[in-house]
Amino acid sequence: MSASSSTSRAAVADAAGAAPLAWPGGLRVGGLTPLTTIDFPGRLAAVVYCQGCPWRCGYCHNPELLDATVPAATPWPEVLAFLGKRRGLIDGVVFSGGEPTLQTGLPAALAEVRAMGFATALHTGGMYPERLAAVLPLLDWVGLDIKGPEHHYEAITGVPGSGARAWQSLALLQAHAVAFECRTTWHEGLFSPQELQTLGDTLADAGVRHWAVQVCRKGPGVPLAAGADIEAPVGARIPRFEVRGAEKTLGR
């Protein structure tokens, strides 16, 4: 590994344990989706994409949101003004990213949105369990990314110790009344189908009742896995199991 790669890796690792980032004017927003029917179960919602993430997953769907120093695409007061105009059209707001819990303004932002009458949801990797615990009373639903078996986390995220944090966050959700799902983005280059099955068993043993496997391509031209190949027996012990993004979406 080159010196520059080592420095970059260390910087990401340091960021994972850093204090929350505070920005003048509230939350630093990297993007906004006016309407979604799939990101907040049972709700018509808007999605607020929070800028910045300390992890560097190779399959990241929103790489433009990784750099926490990028200026906000939309000032937070403008986001609130937009949401005010959406009353009656949507009933929920999802805070996604990036990683929303990276920012110190998240609790206040959630409180403001709830005061407007919206239900609130959070998409998180669980890298900051103590910050997640602080906002759970302000949430109606959580989507928790479980990247894989704990021993594979460093290879996936680029950050040592990241797996332990995510599983601590899962334990917090299990102990709280908030509704949640776990979801795992997977292709065979990350870990084997056998390990995916073992992960499903581990989640079942932890009491997880909703798990979604999100299939991604390993590279250009590589075919997606068939949903039926994943569905059985990977999620056999999970009451609600889904496969998303495969050749055929499956679920029960």
Side-chain angles (χ1 to χ4, degrees):
M1 180 181 296
S2 68
S4 60
S5 297
S6 299
T7 301
S8 175
R9 185 183 181 91
V12 172
D14 289 344
L21 298 178
W23 308 112
L27 212 62
R28 179 169 288 198
V29 176
L32 181 66
T33 295
L35 177 66
T36 177
T37 61
I38 62 173
D39 293 290
F40 192 165
R43 305 275 186 176
L44 295 176
V47 184
V48 175
Y49 295 94
C50 301
Q51 190 71 43
C53 181
W55 290 355
R56 295 295 181 265
C57 306
Y59 54 73
C60 181
H61 187 63
N62 297 317
E64 71 280 2
L65 296 173
L66 294 177
D67 186 352
T69 66
V70 171
T74 306
W76 178 242
E78 291 185 19
V79 175
L80 290 176
F82 167 79
L83 293 175
K85 297 175 182 177
R86 301 293 284 175
R87 285 191 177 108
L89 300 174
I90 61 173
D91 51 11
V93 178
V94 181
F95 289 80
S96 188
E99 173 52 48
T101 60
L102 181 65
Q103 298 194 38
T104 190
L106 179 63
L110 286 167
E112 288 179 290
V113 167
R114 293 181 73 85
M116 297 173 74
F118 294 112
T120 52
L122 177 72
H123 294 176
T124 180
M127 61 274 287
Y128 301 113
E130 67 288 352
R131 302 177 201 172
L132 176 61
V135 299
L136 284 178
L138 298 170
L139 294 168
D140 297 289
W141 184 83
V142 175
L144 176 67
D145 291 332
I146 294 294
K147 304 292 185 180
E150 185 174 337
H151 64 279
H152 279 295
Y153 256 77
E154 181 176 349
I156 294 171
T157 69
V159 178
S162 50
R165 297 183 184 204
W167 288 86
Q168 288 168 20
S169 290
L170 174 58
L172 284 171
L173 288 170
Q174 290 286 68
H176 199 275
V178 68
F180 73 96
E181 74 169 21
C182 293
R183 56 269 191 98
T184 301
T185 298
W186 178 80
H187 63 67
E188 288 194 56
L190 296 171
F191 49 90
S192 70
Q194 292 74 25
E195 287 181 295
L196 184 65
Q197 180 180 340
T198 299
L199 177 60
D201 291 337
T202 301
L203 292 172
D205 290 341
V208 170
R209 301 188 60 79
H210 186 185
W211 181 38
V213 174
Q214 302 172 152
V215 179
C216 69
R217 294 183 185 275
K218 185 164 56 174
V222 178
L224 292 170
D229 294 340
I230 299 172
E231 196 221 13
V234 168
R237 296 176 54 206
I238 305 289
R240 184 178 176 190
F241 175 70
E242 300 175 63
V243 179
R244 300 171 183 162
E247 291 177 349
K248 181 180 178 182
T249 299
L250 299 171
R252 63 171 182 272

